Amino acid sequence: MHARARRDMTPAAMLLAALLLVSTAAPLCSGCPTAKHTAENNSRLQKAYVALQALKLAITDDPKNLTAGWHGHDVCAYFGVFCAPALDDPCTVTVAGLDLNHGNLAGVLPEELGLLSDLALLHLNSNRFGGTLPESLPKLGLLHELDVSNNRLSGSFPQHILCLPKVKYVDIRFNNFCGPVPPAIFDKKIDALFLNDNHFDFELPENFGNSTASVIVLANLQLKGCLPSSLGRMGETLNELIVLNSGVRSCIPPEIGHLGKLTVLDLSFNQLQGMLPGTIAWMHSLEQLDVAHNSLFGHIPDGICALPHLMNFTYSYNYFCVEPHQCLDLRRNDDRQNCIAGRPDQRPADQCLAFLHRPAPVQCDAHGCIAPPAGHY
């Protein structure tokens, strides 16, 4: 997985966390009561106390003792809990962030988490939480970042994520979720979407191109169908698209060239067929391109290796027969196991001939999907 896709917090998350800390350290607005806010004199912190005590009770193993100090009514002093003035009442302190990342905590997530109605950040990655996300999740109406990645959560796609009106960052990767992913997730105004390394089994819908995300990671899933041509509509927002090892059996739609702000494109280890679209040469922001371990063939379009920012181009284990000499000048270029005359470590000649003379060569339709053979209905 690319380093950018492994980050624990987006810049937006770090900014929000900093704002939480600053606002917590700053005094409340003039005219507000000066008494310390605790669960004894603040109804919002009282609800937070109930939620956090329920979470502590639901944790069955806390090897780092992160919640050992979760006692008493001063919930803002609990480890991993961040308080700030409420958005709708600056004189009232509330719990705005909960970060227990990398805690190796085991247990389940209780329904009482819905009492944290002012929560903006919920970061619980790299733990051992099992079960499902609580049904009370939609009560977190201000939630901006949801990160429950690298846990043991299971069940179907947590539909209640669709009911979070403010959420911008959704990271549920490295869990045991299964079944289809609702098309509606691509209609939400999300900035980052990490679904990878689950057991999701679905077809990329036509509204895939409606997504406003800058990063979409769909690696190590069980995708069906083809790469929809609508993906070209994400040209103004999408920076990284990673669909490696997800079983995609498709051609690459020419509309992909409209992704002018894309820096990382990884379509490796799939069942991609046909030729590499020349429109990729329009993607002037591209830095990393990986289409290795597919069944692509033909020539590498001249303009791709001339892209101004391209540093890493991997197209090994395909059936390409011609590559521009400029590709060999890239910082990293991998053309192994193709059918390129004169290059080292290529496929045997008989394997290349067998592929080129196969009985039913693939045909791609105008949208990049694999067309049925002529005469097939």
Side-chain angles (χ1 to χ4, degrees):
M1 192 67 63
H2 296 284
R4 294 184 184 183
R6 288 199 303 262
R7 59 189 174 224
D8 288 328
M9 293 182 71
T10 62
M14 291 186 282
L15 176 61
L16 277 171
L19 288 173
L20 288 174
L21 292 173
V22 169
S23 60
T24 303
L28 297 177
C29 61
S30 59
C32 294
T34 57
K36 184 175 183 178
H37 288 245
T38 72
E40 291 182 304
N41 61 13
N42 180 316
S43 61
R44 300 196 195 204
L45 294 183
Q46 172 60 33
K47 290 181 180 179
Y49 173 81
V50 173
L52 295 169
Q53 290 302 315
L55 177 58
K56 181 179 180 180
L57 187 62
I59 292 173
T60 57
D61 187 23
D62 183 358
K64 298 182 180 180
N65 292 320
L66 300 187
T67 63
W70 281 22
H71 52 76
H73 292 95
D74 188 6
V75 297
C76 295
Y78 289 6
F79 177 85
V81 175
F82 301 95
C83 292
L87 292 179
D88 60 341
D89 183 0
C91 288
T92 298
V93 172
T94 190
V95 172
L98 177 60
D99 186 343
L100 295 174
N101 284 351
H102 303 282
N104 198 26
L105 300 164
V108 296
L109 301 177
E111 289 297 324
E112 286 85 352
L113 286 180
L115 294 172
L116 299 172
S117 56
D118 294 311
L119 208 63
L121 305 176
L122 180 57
H123 287 178
L124 300 174
N125 81 45
S126 304
N127 287 293
R128 290 176 286 147
F129 288 114
T132 60
L133 291 180
E135 293 293 327
S136 61
L137 194 67
K139 295 181 180 179
L140 307 184
L142 300 179
L143 193 66
H144 188 277
E145 302 234 359
L146 173 65
D147 184 355
V148 292
S149 61
N150 196 23
N151 277 284
R152 299 175 181 177
L153 299 169
S154 59
S156 59
F157 179 90
Q159 297 273 350
H160 22 296
I161 290 177
L162 302 175
C163 301
L164 296 171
K166 303 290 187 179
V167 72
K168 297 296 182 184
Y169 181 94
V170 175
D171 191 347
I172 60 173
R173 58 186 155 166
F174 291 102
N175 278 290
N176 295 311
F177 293 116
C178 61
V181 169
I185 193 66
F186 301 111
D187 288 326
K188 285 191 71 66
K189 304 301 182 183
I190 290 176
D191 180 62
L193 181 62
F194 297 88
L195 302 179
N196 54 291
D197 293 273
N198 279 286
H199 304 294
F200 291 129
D201 182 355
F202 68 106
E203 181 173 337
L204 288 176
E206 182 57 30
N207 72 322
F208 179 63
N210 292 352
S211 178
T212 58
S214 62
V215 179
I216 299 178
V217 183
L218 302 172
N220 302 315
L221 302 176
Q222 300 174 50
L223 299 181
K224 306 172 185 175
C226 65
L227 292 171
S229 59
S230 67
L231 60 79
R233 299 203 297 262
M234 295 185 281
E236 291 301 314
T237 54
L238 193 61
N239 298 133
E240 299 182 27
L241 177 61
I242 301 174
V243 197
L244 71 90
N245 191 37
S246 289
V248 175
R249 185 176 183 272
S250 173
C251 302
I252 302 176
E255 289 83 358
I256 201 166
H258 295 299
L259 300 178
K261 294 186 177 180
L262 202 70
T263 60
V264 176
L265 176 61
D266 192 338
L267 303 175
S268 60
F269 289 90
N270 283 295
Q271 301 175 50
L272 297 177
Q273 303 186 43
M275 302 180 70
L276 207 56
T279 56
I280 292 178
W282 303 347
M283 302 165 68
H284 287 180
S285 299
L286 203 59
E287 300 173 8
Q288 299 181 49
L289 174 59
D290 193 340
V291 294
H293 291 271
N294 282 290
S295 295
L296 300 167
F297 65 92
H299 68 280
I300 303 292
D302 291 339
I304 293 180
C305 293
L307 287 168
H309 302 290
L310 189 64
M311 295 181 291
N312 182 347
F313 185 15
T314 304
Y315 47 100
S316 53
Y317 291 90
N318 281 287
Y319 293 90
F320 293 114
C321 58
V322 177
E323 63 183 347
H325 191 270
Q326 195 167 5
C327 293
L328 305 181
D329 297 330
L330 293 172
R331 181 180 300 179
R332 181 181 176 189
N333 169 74
D334 189 350
D335 64 0
R336 294 171 299 148
Q337 293 298 300
N338 278 288
C339 302
I340 305 170
R343 291 293 296 159
D345 195 12
Q346 298 295 298
R347 293 181 184 273
D350 57 346
Q351 193 176 112
C352 293
L353 287 171
F355 178 83
L356 292 173
H357 294 92
R358 59 200 187 282
V362 67
Q363 299 292 327
C364 301
D365 64 21
H367 299 292
C369 293
I370 296 175
H376 178 79
Y377 300 97

